[in-house]
Amino acid sequence: MSNNGQLQLPKSLMPLIILAVVLIIFLSKSTVTIDAGEAGVLWKRFDGGVVTDEVAMGEGFHLVAPWNNVVIYEVRQQELFEKMKVLSSNGLDIILEVSAWYVPQHENLGKLHQEKGENYLERVIKPALRSAARSVVGRYTPEQLYASKRDVIQSEIFEETRKILEVQYIQLNEVLVRDVTLPSTIKDAIERKLKQEQESLEYEFRLVTASKEAQKQIIEAKGKADANKILSASLTDKILQDKGIEATLELSKSPNSKVVIVGSSKDGLPLILGNN
């Protein structure tokens, strides 16, 4: 301890303290922890810059030289949402809302960093998606986009965007067309046209149903007529007389008072009088 009461370290310890401080700084600059869903691109200050011939550093704890640097990238699937104005085949403005699911290629992360940089979303993905969307939508009319082509344009935008991005070290997983907005006047006209077409189809259906019902009734009537002809041809006078006698006998057995005159009718059948 010094004369003024202050603690003084032995001069022999000073080099050790300085060495310890340097060592702490060295270790703090030489350690990198990469979290889940991330990867690291190594940049070597004295050995060629960005490492592109090796796979990017994975999750966990890593030691690197303090004069080098590690750039962290997220390698989880990410989403880009774009709302853009595009033109249909006849030059009308269409508002398209699209989502793209993408992930940087882990094995080419060094090349992506070297050629595109950390801002690859703005430099590569957005221009590619916009270009593909304009190209695809420009092939169709508003009527096709509104009625039946949404799944088709979604698939075509995905394919065209994927072809652009796969050579830019980016993997495109999916493109989703969330909404297609037409000018209000065009939308109203399309809806009126679709309503008229629906009403026309319903009217045609009613006509077909009525026609089939009429044919059914004609067939049934013809069948009844043919049956009556066959029955009439099979009834002879003798059969009719026998049937008449059987019916007369049944009536004569009823408790009602009556007078039966045998053989007095024109065809020789009995007459029944006074049936009450």
Side-chain angles (χ1 to χ4, degrees), residues 172 246 261:
L172 182 67
E246 291 175 2
I261 304 175

Side-chain angles (χ1 to χ4, degrees), residues 214-225:
Q215 292 177 3
K216 178 182 176 182
Q217 292 177 0
I218 292 172
I219 293 173
E220 290 178 350
K222 186 175 184 299
K224 291 179 180 179

Side-chain angles (χ1 to χ4, degrees), residues 101-169:
W101 296 347
Y102 67 93
V103 59
Q105 295 176 3
H106 190 279
E107 66 277 11
N108 291 315
L109 201 56
K111 295 179 181 178
L112 177 66
H113 178 68
Q114 185 181 58
E115 298 180 18
K116 315 302 174 187
E118 297 177 71
N119 197 24
Y120 65 90
L121 175 63
E122 295 290 338
R123 292 180 176 178
V124 178
I125 299 180
K126 286 186 178 181
L129 183 62
R130 292 167 182 167
S131 175
R134 292 188 178 97
S135 174
V136 171
V137 173
R139 303 169 192 161
Y140 297 99
T141 64
E143 291 83 356
Q144 292 173 321
L145 297 173
Y146 184 83
S148 60
K149 293 296 184 180
R150 181 171 300 189
D151 291 342
V152 175
I153 67 170
Q154 177 173 291
S155 177
E156 291 182 358
I157 292 174
F158 169 76
E159 287 298 328
E160 292 203 14
T161 309
R162 182 186 61 81
K163 290 178 182 178
I164 297 173
L165 294 183
E166 67 182 0
V167 296
Q168 305 293 330
Y169 318 118

Side-chain angles (χ1 to χ4, degrees), residues 23 25-34 40-45 51 54 57-58 60-72:
L23 183 61
I25 296 174
F26 181 85
L27 290 175
S28 65
K29 294 291 186 178
S30 302
T31 59
V32 176
T33 299
I34 299 177
V41 176
L42 180 61
W43 178 78
K44 295 182 177 181
R45 185 178 300 275
V51 176
E54 298 178 10
M57 300 166 64
F61 180 81
H62 300 270
L63 286 173
V64 296
W67 50 84
N68 293 336
N69 188 29
V70 177
V71 180
I72 306 298

Side-chain angles (χ1 to χ4, degrees), residues 37-275:
E38 296 179 342
V41 176
L42 180 61
W43 178 78
K44 295 182 177 181
R45 185 178 300 275
F46 304 114
D47 192 16
V50 178
V51 176
T52 59
D53 56 353
E54 298 178 10
V55 178
M57 300 166 64
E59 301 171 4
F61 180 81
H62 300 270
L63 286 173
V64 296
W67 50 84
N68 293 336
N69 188 29
V70 177
V71 180
I72 306 298
Y73 279 83
E74 183 175 0
V75 291
R76 296 186 184 97
Q77 177 173 279
Q78 301 168 67
E79 180 181 20
L80 165 65
F81 175 78
E82 278 287 282
K83 183 175 182 180
M84 64 191 84
K85 181 183 290 187
V86 294
L87 297 178
S88 64
S89 62
N90 53 1
L92 293 175
D93 288 336
I94 308 294
I95 304 300
L96 199 66
E97 296 182 13
V98 181
S99 286
W101 296 347
Y102 67 93
V103 59
Q105 295 176 3
H106 190 279
E107 66 277 11
N108 291 315
L109 201 56
K111 295 179 181 178
L112 177 66
H113 178 68
Q114 185 181 58
E115 298 180 18
K116 315 302 174 187
E118 297 177 71
N119 197 24
Y120 65 90
L121 175 63
E122 295 290 338
R123 292 180 176 178
V124 178
I125 299 180
K126 286 186 178 181
L129 183 62
R130 292 167 182 167
S131 175
R134 292 188 178 97
S135 174
V136 171
V137 173
R139 303 169 192 161
Y140 297 99
T141 64
E143 291 83 356
Q144 292 173 321
L145 297 173
Y146 184 83
S148 60
K149 293 296 184 180
R150 181 171 300 189
D151 291 342
V152 175
I153 67 170
Q154 177 173 291
S155 177
E156 291 182 358
I157 292 174
F158 169 76
E159 287 298 328
E160 292 203 14
T161 309
R162 182 186 61 81
K163 290 178 182 178
I164 297 173
L165 294 183
E166 67 182 0
V167 296
Q168 305 293 330
Y169 318 118
I170 299 165
Q171 175 183 315
L172 182 67
N173 293 337
E174 189 62 85
V175 167
L176 303 174
V177 175
R178 297 186 177 275
D179 193 26
V180 178
T181 304
L182 307 180
S184 57
T185 54
I186 301 300
K187 182 180 179 181
D188 293 343
I190 292 173
E191 289 179 347
R192 286 196 300 271
K193 180 181 178 182
L194 292 175
K195 183 179 180 181
Q196 291 172 355
E197 291 176 351
Q198 183 64 31
E199 291 174 349
S200 176
L201 291 174
E202 291 177 358
Y203 180 70
E204 291 178 3
F205 176 76
R206 289 196 297 269
L207 289 179
V208 171
T209 302
S211 176
K212 290 182 178 179
E213 183 64 25
Q215 292 177 3
K216 178 182 176 182
Q217 292 177 0
I218 292 172
I219 293 173
E220 290 178 350
K222 186 175 184 299
K224 291 179 180 179
D226 292 342
N228 290 335
K229 288 181 181 179
I230 295 172
L231 181 60
S232 297
S234 64
L235 295 177
T236 63
D237 293 340
K238 177 63 176 173
I239 292 175
L240 291 174
Q241 288 179 354
D242 290 342
K243 294 293 183 181
I245 293 171
E246 291 175 2
T248 302
L249 291 175
E250 291 297 325
L251 289 172
S252 66
K253 295 176 183 179
S254 66
N256 299 327
S257 61
K258 58 187 73 65
V259 177
V260 179
I261 304 175
V262 179
S264 297
S265 67
K266 182 178 179 182
D267 53 5
L269 294 175
L271 293 177
I272 301 176
L273 303 176
N275 188 16

